[in-house]
Amino acid sequence: MVSPALALAFLPFVATLLIRYRHYFLLFYRAVLVRHLRDFLTGIPREERAFQYLLTHAIPGDPQHILETFDQWSAHCEYLSNLGPQKAKILERLIYEKAPLTVLELGTYCGYGTVVIAQALPLGARVYTVEMDSRKAAVAEKVIRLAGFDDDTVELIVGSSEEVIPQLKEKHGLFRVDLVFMDHWKRCYLRDLQLLEAHGLLLEGATILADNVIFPGAPHFLQYVKACGKYKWRVHRTSLQYFRAIPDGMAQLTYTGEE
Protein backbone atom coordinates (compact mmCIF):
# COMPACT_ATOMS: atom_id res chain seq x y z
CA MET A 1 0.00 0.00 0.00
CA VAL A 2 1.34 3.44 -0.94
CA SER A 3 1.90 5.73 2.01
CA PRO A 4 0.26 9.20 2.03
CA ALA A 5 3.70 10.82 2.14
CA LEU A 6 4.82 8.97 -0.99
CA ALA A 7 1.58 9.82 -2.78
CA LEU A 8 2.02 13.50 -1.94
CA ALA A 9 5.56 13.39 -3.27
CA PHE A 10 4.23 12.33 -6.68
CA LEU A 11 1.59 15.08 -6.87
CA PRO A 12 3.91 17.75 -8.34
CA PHE A 13 5.08 15.28 -11.00
CA VAL A 14 1.50 14.35 -11.93
CA ALA A 15 0.47 18.01 -11.98
CA THR A 16 3.39 18.83 -14.29
CA LEU A 17 2.35 16.04 -16.68
CA LEU A 18 -1.24 17.22 -16.73
CA ILE A 19 -0.23 20.79 -17.47
CA ARG A 20 2.42 19.94 -20.07
CA TYR A 21 0.29 17.44 -21.97
CA ARG A 22 -3.14 18.94 -21.33
CA HIS A 23 -3.83 19.38 -25.04
CA TYR A 24 -3.19 15.68 -25.68
CA PHE A 25 -5.44 14.72 -22.77
CA LEU A 26 -8.13 17.00 -24.21
CA LEU A 27 -7.71 15.37 -27.62
CA PHE A 28 -8.11 11.93 -26.07
CA TYR A 29 -11.20 13.09 -24.20
CA ARG A 30 -12.86 14.61 -27.27
CA ALA A 31 -11.77 12.08 -29.90
CA VAL A 32 -12.16 8.87 -27.88
CA LEU A 33 -14.18 9.18 -24.68
CA VAL A 34 -16.88 11.54 -25.94
CA ARG A 35 -17.17 9.62 -29.19
CA HIS A 36 -17.74 6.24 -27.53
CA LEU A 37 -20.20 7.71 -25.03
CA ARG A 38 -22.31 9.38 -27.73
CA ASP A 39 -22.10 6.35 -30.01
CA PHE A 40 -23.50 4.28 -27.13
CA LEU A 41 -26.21 6.78 -26.16
CA THR A 42 -27.43 7.51 -29.70
CA GLY A 43 -26.73 4.23 -31.47
CA ILE A 44 -25.51 6.31 -34.42
CA PRO A 45 -21.82 6.47 -35.47
CA ARG A 46 -20.09 9.81 -35.05
CA GLU A 47 -19.53 10.19 -38.80
CA GLU A 48 -23.24 9.75 -39.49
CA ARG A 49 -24.05 12.35 -36.81
CA ALA A 50 -21.71 14.75 -38.57
CA PHE A 51 -23.50 14.15 -41.88
CA GLN A 52 -26.87 14.83 -40.26
CA TYR A 53 -25.41 18.13 -39.06
CA LEU A 54 -24.32 18.91 -42.62
CA LEU A 55 -27.80 18.22 -43.94
CA THR A 56 -29.25 20.65 -41.44
CA HIS A 57 -26.71 23.47 -41.69
CA ALA A 58 -24.78 23.26 -45.00
CA ILE A 59 -25.81 24.57 -48.42
CA PRO A 60 -26.08 21.67 -50.93
CA GLY A 61 -23.89 22.15 -54.01
CA ASP A 62 -21.63 24.65 -52.22
CA PRO A 63 -18.34 22.83 -51.49
CA GLN A 64 -16.79 25.67 -49.51
CA HIS A 65 -19.82 26.03 -47.24
CA ILE A 66 -19.86 22.27 -46.66
CA LEU A 67 -16.20 22.38 -45.59
CA GLU A 68 -16.87 25.33 -43.27
CA THR A 69 -19.83 23.48 -41.73
CA PHE A 70 -17.64 20.42 -41.20
CA ASP A 71 -15.09 22.66 -39.47
CA GLN A 72 -17.79 24.11 -37.24
CA TRP A 73 -18.91 20.63 -36.20
CA SER A 74 -15.38 19.32 -35.61
CA ALA A 75 -14.21 22.36 -33.64
CA HIS A 76 -17.27 22.94 -31.48
CA CYS A 77 -19.50 19.83 -31.49
CA GLU A 78 -17.61 16.54 -31.85
CA TYR A 79 -14.02 16.05 -32.94
CA LEU A 80 -13.49 14.54 -36.39
CA SER A 81 -10.01 13.98 -37.78
CA ASN A 82 -10.79 15.86 -40.97
CA LEU A 83 -8.06 17.71 -42.80
CA GLY A 84 -9.09 21.06 -41.30
CA PRO A 85 -8.77 24.55 -42.83
CA GLN A 86 -5.02 25.09 -42.27
CA LYS A 87 -3.96 21.91 -44.03
CA ALA A 88 -6.70 22.25 -46.63
CA LYS A 89 -5.05 25.48 -47.82
CA ILE A 90 -1.74 23.65 -48.32
CA LEU A 91 -3.42 20.88 -50.33
CA GLU A 92 -5.52 23.33 -52.33
CA ARG A 93 -2.52 25.53 -53.14
CA LEU A 94 -0.55 22.49 -54.29
CA ILE A 95 -3.34 21.43 -56.65
CA TYR A 96 -3.61 24.90 -58.14
CA GLU A 97 0.18 24.95 -58.60
CA LYS A 98 0.53 21.46 -60.13
CA ALA A 99 -2.83 21.31 -61.99
CA PRO A 100 -2.92 17.47 -61.83
CA LEU A 101 -5.24 15.58 -64.17
CA THR A 102 -5.27 12.47 -61.95
CA VAL A 103 -5.27 12.54 -58.15
CA LEU A 104 -5.18 9.49 -55.88
CA GLU A 105 -6.39 9.99 -52.32
CA LEU A 106 -5.64 7.24 -49.82
CA GLY A 107 -8.05 7.57 -46.89
CA THR A 108 -11.39 9.16 -47.79
CA TYR A 109 -12.81 9.11 -44.26
CA CYS A 110 -15.85 11.45 -44.39
CA GLY A 111 -14.96 13.04 -47.72
CA TYR A 112 -13.58 16.34 -46.42
CA GLY A 113 -10.24 16.05 -48.22
CA THR A 114 -11.98 14.73 -51.32
CA VAL A 115 -14.13 17.86 -51.51
CA VAL A 116 -11.04 20.06 -51.05
CA ILE A 117 -9.34 18.27 -53.95
CA ALA A 118 -12.38 18.12 -56.23
CA GLN A 119 -13.19 21.82 -55.99
CA ALA A 120 -9.58 22.78 -56.88
CA LEU A 121 -9.11 20.39 -59.82
CA PRO A 122 -8.65 21.74 -63.35
CA LEU A 123 -11.38 21.06 -65.91
CA GLY A 124 -11.44 17.42 -67.00
CA ALA A 125 -9.38 16.14 -64.06
CA ARG A 126 -10.45 13.31 -61.79
CA VAL A 127 -9.83 12.14 -58.24
CA TYR A 128 -9.77 8.48 -57.24
CA THR A 129 -10.29 8.13 -53.50
CA VAL A 130 -9.78 4.91 -51.53
CA GLU A 131 -11.46 4.05 -48.21
CA MET A 132 -11.25 0.62 -46.56
CA ASP A 133 -14.13 1.14 -44.08
CA SER A 134 -17.42 0.63 -45.91
CA ARG A 135 -19.46 2.57 -43.33
CA LYS A 136 -17.21 5.63 -43.54
CA ALA A 137 -17.20 5.28 -47.34
CA ALA A 138 -21.01 5.41 -47.33
CA VAL A 139 -20.91 8.69 -45.38
CA ALA A 140 -18.21 10.08 -47.67
CA GLU A 141 -20.26 9.19 -50.75
CA LYS A 142 -23.18 11.25 -49.43
CA VAL A 143 -20.92 14.17 -48.51
CA ILE A 144 -19.23 14.20 -51.94
CA ARG A 145 -22.57 14.12 -53.77
CA LEU A 146 -24.03 16.76 -51.43
CA ALA A 147 -21.10 18.99 -52.43
CA GLY A 148 -22.13 18.58 -56.08
CA PHE A 149 -19.47 16.22 -57.45
CA ASP A 150 -20.49 13.27 -59.63
CA ASP A 151 -18.77 10.05 -60.70
CA ASP A 152 -17.02 11.80 -63.58
CA THR A 153 -15.07 13.93 -61.08
CA VAL A 154 -14.79 11.62 -58.07
CA GLU A 155 -14.52 7.84 -58.10
CA LEU A 156 -14.83 6.34 -54.63
CA ILE A 157 -13.17 2.93 -54.29
CA VAL A 158 -13.99 0.82 -51.23
CA GLY A 159 -11.15 -1.48 -50.20
CA SER A 160 -7.74 -1.53 -48.53
CA SER A 161 -5.02 0.48 -50.24
CA GLU A 162 -2.80 -2.61 -50.27
CA GLU A 163 -5.35 -4.42 -52.44
CA VAL A 164 -6.52 -1.45 -54.52
CA ILE A 165 -3.18 0.02 -55.65
CA PRO A 166 -2.08 -3.09 -57.63
CA GLN A 167 -5.49 -3.09 -59.39
CA LEU A 168 -5.61 0.59 -60.37
CA LYS A 169 -4.36 0.06 -63.93
CA GLU A 170 -6.37 -3.02 -64.85
CA LYS A 171 -9.56 -2.45 -62.87
CA HIS A 172 -9.87 1.33 -62.79
CA GLY A 173 -7.95 2.46 -65.88
CA LEU A 174 -5.56 4.60 -63.86
CA PHE A 175 -2.13 4.27 -65.50
CA ARG A 176 -0.36 7.22 -63.90
CA VAL A 177 -0.94 9.44 -60.89
CA ASP A 178 0.01 13.09 -61.01
CA LEU A 179 -0.67 13.76 -57.33
CA VAL A 180 -1.12 11.42 -54.36
CA PHE A 181 -2.66 12.56 -51.09
CA MET A 182 -2.02 10.20 -48.17
CA ASP A 183 -4.30 10.57 -45.17
CA HIS A 184 -5.00 7.00 -44.07
CA TRP A 185 -3.22 4.76 -41.54
CA LYS A 186 0.24 6.23 -40.99
CA ARG A 187 1.85 2.79 -40.69
CA CYS A 188 0.73 2.15 -44.31
CA TYR A 189 2.41 5.23 -45.82
CA LEU A 190 5.73 3.56 -46.60
CA ARG A 191 4.19 0.32 -47.85
CA ASP A 192 1.81 2.17 -50.17
CA LEU A 193 4.47 4.53 -51.49
CA GLN A 194 6.58 1.52 -52.43
CA LEU A 195 3.54 -0.15 -54.04
CA LEU A 196 2.98 2.96 -56.18
CA GLU A 197 6.63 2.80 -57.24
CA ALA A 198 6.56 -0.94 -57.92
CA HIS A 199 3.47 -0.71 -60.14
CA GLY A 200 4.82 2.19 -62.19
CA LEU A 201 2.11 4.63 -61.16
CA LEU A 202 4.56 7.43 -60.37
CA LEU A 203 6.23 9.19 -63.28
CA GLU A 204 8.96 11.76 -62.94
CA GLY A 205 7.54 14.94 -61.42
CA ALA A 206 4.65 13.23 -59.62
CA THR A 207 3.80 14.85 -56.27
CA ILE A 208 2.94 13.13 -52.99
CA LEU A 209 1.49 14.97 -49.99
CA ALA A 210 1.33 12.99 -46.74
CA ASP A 211 -0.56 14.26 -43.71
CA ASN A 212 0.19 13.75 -39.99
CA VAL A 213 3.88 12.92 -40.44
CA ILE A 214 4.70 14.63 -37.11
CA PHE A 215 1.64 13.61 -35.06
CA PRO A 216 0.84 10.78 -34.73
CA GLY A 217 3.84 10.49 -37.06
CA ALA A 218 5.23 8.31 -39.87
CA PRO A 219 8.95 7.95 -39.01
CA HIS A 220 9.73 4.96 -41.26
CA PHE A 221 8.09 6.72 -44.21
CA LEU A 222 10.16 9.88 -43.65
CA GLN A 223 13.34 7.88 -43.14
CA TYR A 224 12.82 6.09 -46.45
CA VAL A 225 12.05 9.30 -48.34
CA LYS A 226 15.21 10.95 -47.03
CA ALA A 227 17.48 7.98 -47.71
CA CYS A 228 16.23 6.41 -50.96
CA GLY A 229 17.30 9.23 -53.30
CA LYS A 230 14.11 9.07 -55.37
CA TYR A 231 12.46 12.20 -54.00
CA LYS A 232 12.90 15.88 -53.43
CA TRP A 233 11.07 16.59 -50.21
CA ARG A 234 10.04 19.18 -47.65
CA VAL A 235 7.82 19.24 -44.57
CA HIS A 236 5.11 21.88 -44.13
CA ARG A 237 4.95 22.64 -40.41
CA THR A 238 1.36 22.85 -39.21
CA SER A 239 -0.72 22.11 -36.14
CA LEU A 240 -3.04 19.15 -35.66
CA GLN A 241 -6.45 19.84 -37.15
CA TYR A 242 -8.64 21.74 -34.64
CA PHE A 243 -5.85 21.64 -32.00
CA ARG A 244 -3.47 24.54 -32.59
CA ALA A 245 -1.27 23.66 -29.61
CA ILE A 246 -0.36 20.20 -30.97
CA PRO A 247 2.40 20.42 -33.62
CA ASP A 248 2.07 18.42 -36.82
CA GLY A 249 3.28 18.49 -40.41
CA MET A 250 2.60 17.48 -44.01
CA ALA A 251 5.39 15.97 -46.12
CA GLN A 252 5.53 17.10 -49.75
CA LEU A 253 7.51 14.85 -52.09
CA THR A 254 8.42 15.17 -55.75
CA TYR A 255 9.31 11.91 -57.48
CA THR A 256 12.56 12.08 -59.47
CA GLY A 257 12.90 8.37 -60.21
CA GLU A 258 16.61 8.52 -59.45
CA GLU A 259 18.37 6.23 -56.97
Side-chain angles (χ1 to χ4, degrees), residues 33-222:
L33 298 183
V34 171
R35 171 195 179 174
H36 287 303
L37 177 61
R38 292 185 177 174
D39 283 357
F40 175 76
L41 292 175
T42 65
I44 302 171
R46 174 178 57 178
E47 294 78 16
E48 189 64 45
R49 293 195 297 274
F51 178 69
Q52 294 301 322
Y53 185 86
L54 285 184
L55 283 178
T56 306
H57 295 84
I59 301 172
D62 187 336
Q64 190 57 44
H65 193 261
I66 285 172
L67 294 174
E68 291 169 359
T69 306
F70 247 140
D71 291 333
Q72 179 73 19
W73 165 270
S74 300
H76 303 291
C77 298
E78 293 187 56
Y79 180 81
L80 284 177
S81 55
N82 290 324
L83 190 61
Q86 181 190 25
K87 293 177 177 179
K89 289 179 182 177
I90 294 172
L91 175 58
E92 187 178 60
R93 184 169 63 246
L94 189 60
I95 293 173
Y96 285 138
E97 176 187 328
K98 302 296 182 180
L101 292 179
T102 55
V103 177
L104 175 64
E105 180 185 31
L106 301 177
T108 315
Y109 191 43
C110 290
Y112 185 107
T114 315
V115 172
V116 172
I117 295 167
Q119 72 167 349
L121 286 177
L123 188 65
R126 197 174 196 205
V127 54
Y128 299 78
T129 183
V130 181
E131 174 57 51
M132 69 175 296
D133 188 314
S134 59
R135 292 185 299 176
K136 293 182 177 67
V139 173
E141 179 85 24
K142 292 185 286 188
V143 170
I144 292 163
R145 305 315 170 204
L146 185 67
F149 301 109
D150 58 20
D151 290 328
D152 291 333
T153 303
V154 178
E155 180 175 339
L156 176 58
I157 305 169
V158 182
S160 71
S161 54
E162 185 178 18
E163 295 173 349
V164 170
I165 290 173
Q167 300 174 348
L168 285 174
K169 289 183 177 181
E170 184 176 339
K171 194 171 180 180
H172 301 279
L174 181 57
F175 293 93
R176 59 171 289 177
V177 181
D178 298 319
L179 189 146
V180 181
F181 177 49
M182 293 184 169
D183 195 18
H184 55 323
W185 291 105
K186 316 314 161 193
R187 65 175 182 268
C188 299
Y189 280 13
L190 176 56
R191 179 201 70 194
D192 291 345
L193 182 65
Q194 292 175 329
L195 277 175
L196 290 167
E197 294 172 359
H199 289 275
L201 289 161
L202 300 177
L203 298 185
E204 184 178 349
T207 302
I208 299 96
L209 185 67
D211 192 18
N212 302 123
V213 296
I214 303 299
F215 183 84
H220 298 299
F221 170 80
L222 290 179

Side-chain angles (χ1 to χ4, degrees), residues 238-255:
T238 67
S239 57
L240 184 68
Q241 45 270 39
Y242 314 116
F243 275 87
R244 291 185 178 180
I246 298 179
D248 196 8
M250 305 177 83
Q252 179 182 330
L253 323 176
T254 302
Y255 185 64

Side-chain angles (χ1 to χ4, degrees), residues 227-242:
C228 72
K230 299 177 183 178
Y231 299 93
K232 295 178 180 177
W233 63 277
R234 60 171 295 193
V235 174
H236 299 274
R237 297 286 176 172
T238 67
S239 57
L240 184 68
Q241 45 270 39
Y242 314 116

